[in-house]
Amino acid sequence: VPCNFGVANLHDEFHGNVTMEFKDSTSMRACSLILSWNSEVFTYLFSDFRQGTVELKEFSKDVAVMFLESLYSGVVIVEKSQFRELNKISHAFKVTWMSEKCTEAFTQFCESSSHDYTDMLFLFNEAVYSEVTLKCGVLMKILVGKFSRFENVAEIFVEQYLNQNFTSIKPGTLNHILKISNGHFVPVLRSLKEHLKNKGGITDTVRIILSRAEVIQCMADQGEFCDEVFEQLIQQFDQMSPADVKLVMGLFKAVKNQDGSSSSTSDPLMNEPGSTKQTIPNLFHDQNSLRDVPDEDIVRVLSEVPGITSFMVVEYAYRRCNATRRRLILENLPRVCTALSLCRLPRTFIQRF
């Protein structure tokens, strides 16, 4: 098999010794020998269980009849509209050659994809269904390999998919989405930032994304965007568990270490055209600008700096201050934030930091 046994012999009263029942309560006669040659499941049902009737009510009648006709003809035509059911029934009855034909058809679907979101979503959903429900990861492996080579796939598909499924996506599916991104994590972080901005909280999806090594490099390379993401994370500290606080602060330190190791003695953000940090008088780039400010005046000075964010204050305290000044700034951080109309950072954050 596959072999042409003659479709005309299907539903033949002479050859049909078993009954196949369909969803609409109709039935069809079939030959147990032909079915068994194609499927070890049928062999098991007819030989071991002596079963004379098999229900195919889990599938639409059109697909069930097509399935039986294909077992008789040795030919199957896989269309997108019937792909899921045909792939499912071939796996359910372990018709190996038909499963292989479904895989070949899926590969062709990927190669001829129009690269628009709807088409890509169909392919991704079928790959997820096959992996999760049918316990077959072949389609997902094909899809990740094909999609990761598409230009702008992170913007066209990944970001939109995450925006629509951020709170419901399963960890396994998320890992495939991140693989498809192929290292382009800015769209992923944009989706994460939007989730946090909408008060979505620290979910498993957020934790998985923040724990990826690629995210550290991406955030280190995206200075101002990195600040915006951390700004949203900081506002979530009241709802964070100790483990989440540790994750976020670990990410913060890793990003800053990466940023420091990949830059020269002068911060590249100072020379970046249009950077909002140019409006801040060398606060984070030249320690001399604040070196002569007494500790007792540092909180007041910070409160008067234009263009500053609460994250920048934390960054300055962490990167530029000795232990005494750092403690003083962090203990008075709510006062700084109030003066600048910034997000109020909870005392639990200050203590944990």
Side-chain angles (χ1 to χ4, degrees):
V1 292
C3 178
N4 187 1
F5 296 101
V7 176
N9 292 314
L10 181 62
H11 200 43
D12 183 271
E13 291 297 327
F14 180 75
H15 296 288
N17 62 330
V18 292
T19 302
M20 315 304 290
E21 294 185 345
F22 303 126
K23 200 170 189 175
D24 63 354
S25 299
T26 60
S27 63
M28 180 177 285
R29 304 289 293 177
C31 175
S32 61
L33 184 60
I34 294 175
L35 299 183
S36 297
W37 274 334
N38 281 277
S39 162
E40 63 182 67
V41 174
F42 282 127
T43 302
Y44 181 73
L45 293 175
F46 301 141
S47 297
D48 294 1
F49 274 83
R50 302 294 179 180
Q51 204 166 307
T53 301
V54 177
E55 292 187 353
L56 300 177
K57 297 179 180 180
E58 188 178 344
F59 312 95
S60 67
K61 181 177 180 179
D62 289 344
V63 169
V65 171
M66 181 192 301
F67 171 68
L68 294 173
E69 289 177 346
S70 296
L71 298 186
Y72 269 73
S73 68
V75 177
V76 61
I77 299 175
V78 184
E79 302 287 349
K80 276 188 175 181
S81 59
Q82 298 173 319
F83 177 82
R84 177 172 295 190
E85 279 199 296
L86 199 57
N87 189 41
K88 179 181 178 181
I89 199 170
S90 67
H91 277 85
F93 288 94
K94 297 184 179 180
V95 182
T96 305
W97 70 266
M98 191 178 294
S99 297
E100 291 173 352
K101 292 295 183 182
C102 288
T103 301
E104 291 174 9
F106 184 83
T107 303
Q108 290 297 318
F109 295 157
C110 289
E111 291 176 348
S112 61
S113 172
S114 59
H115 297 188
D116 68 86
Y117 179 75
T118 303
D119 191 42
M120 297 172 83
L121 180 62
F122 164 78
L123 295 171
F124 185 75
N125 284 341
E126 292 308 315
V128 170
Y129 180 84
S130 180
E131 182 175 68
V132 175
T133 305
L134 307 182
K135 309 303 179 186
C136 177
V138 175
L139 300 189
M140 183 60 74
K141 186 176 180 179
I142 293 170
L143 180 133
V144 170
K146 298 290 184 182
F147 273 23
S148 60
R149 294 198 293 270
F150 289 170
E151 187 176 358
N152 300 325
V153 66
E155 288 81 4
I156 296 172
F157 177 71
V158 171
E159 185 174 2
Q160 190 170 344
Y161 185 88
L162 285 176
N163 286 340
Q164 295 178 359
N165 301 278
F166 203 97
T167 58
S168 60
I169 189 170
K170 297 290 189 289
T173 304
L174 176 60
N175 284 329
H176 293 311
I177 283 289
L178 297 180
K179 287 179 184 177
I180 291 171
S181 300
N182 198 25
H184 301 291
F185 272 82
V186 172
V188 175
L189 290 173
R190 277 202 300 262
S191 182
L192 182 146
K193 189 183 79 168
E194 192 64 26
H195 166 79
L196 294 174
K197 188 177 179 180
N198 294 329
K199 309 299 181 185
I202 306 298
T203 62
D204 286 340
T205 302
V206 174
R207 296 182 187 102
I208 291 172
I209 292 174
L210 294 183
S211 64
R212 294 289 291 251
E214 300 96 321
V215 169
I216 296 174
Q217 184 61 57
C218 177
M219 295 183 74
D221 294 339
Q222 302 288 326
E224 293 182 20
F225 181 67
C226 171
D227 290 353
E228 294 171 7
V229 173
F230 273 121
E231 193 76 17
Q232 293 297 327
L233 286 168
I234 285 174
Q235 295 187 47
Q236 304 285 329
F237 264 87
D238 272 336
Q239 289 78 42
M240 284 190 192
S241 67
D244 290 336
V245 172
K246 184 177 180 180
L247 172 65
V248 172
M249 297 317 300
L251 177 66
F252 171 79
K253 294 175 183 178
V255 168
K256 292 310 163 186
N257 289 338
Q258 185 76 21
D259 186 35
S261 64
S262 61
S263 63
S264 61
T265 53
S266 64
D267 196 319
L269 286 173
M270 281 298 293
N271 302 316
E272 184 179 321
S275 172
T276 58
K277 290 192 176 184
Q278 289 181 317
T279 64
I280 304 172
N282 294 330
L283 182 60
F284 308 109
H285 316 289
D286 181 7
Q287 294 192 47
N288 293 328
S289 62
L290 293 172
R291 181 175 294 172
D292 296 330
V293 177
D295 287 347
E296 57 268 21
D297 293 332
I298 190 64
V299 173
R300 177 185 57 78
V301 171
L302 289 174
S303 302
E304 296 171 355
V305 176
I308 198 172
T309 68
S310 54
F311 171 73
M312 292 177 184
V313 175
V314 173
E315 182 182 13
Y316 167 72
Y318 174 72
R319 297 181 66 185
R320 306 297 189 187
C321 298
N322 59 34
T324 301
R325 179 168 288 204
R326 180 185 303 123
R327 187 179 302 110
L328 183 64
I329 292 172
L330 294 177
E331 287 176 350
N332 288 277
L333 203 52
R335 175 182 154 195
V336 176
C337 293
T338 301
L340 294 171
S341 299
L342 302 175
C343 67
R344 293 296 301 272
L345 302 186
R347 183 161 296 277
T348 52
F349 163 72
I350 298 170
Q351 293 169 342
R352 288 166 180 170
F353 187 89

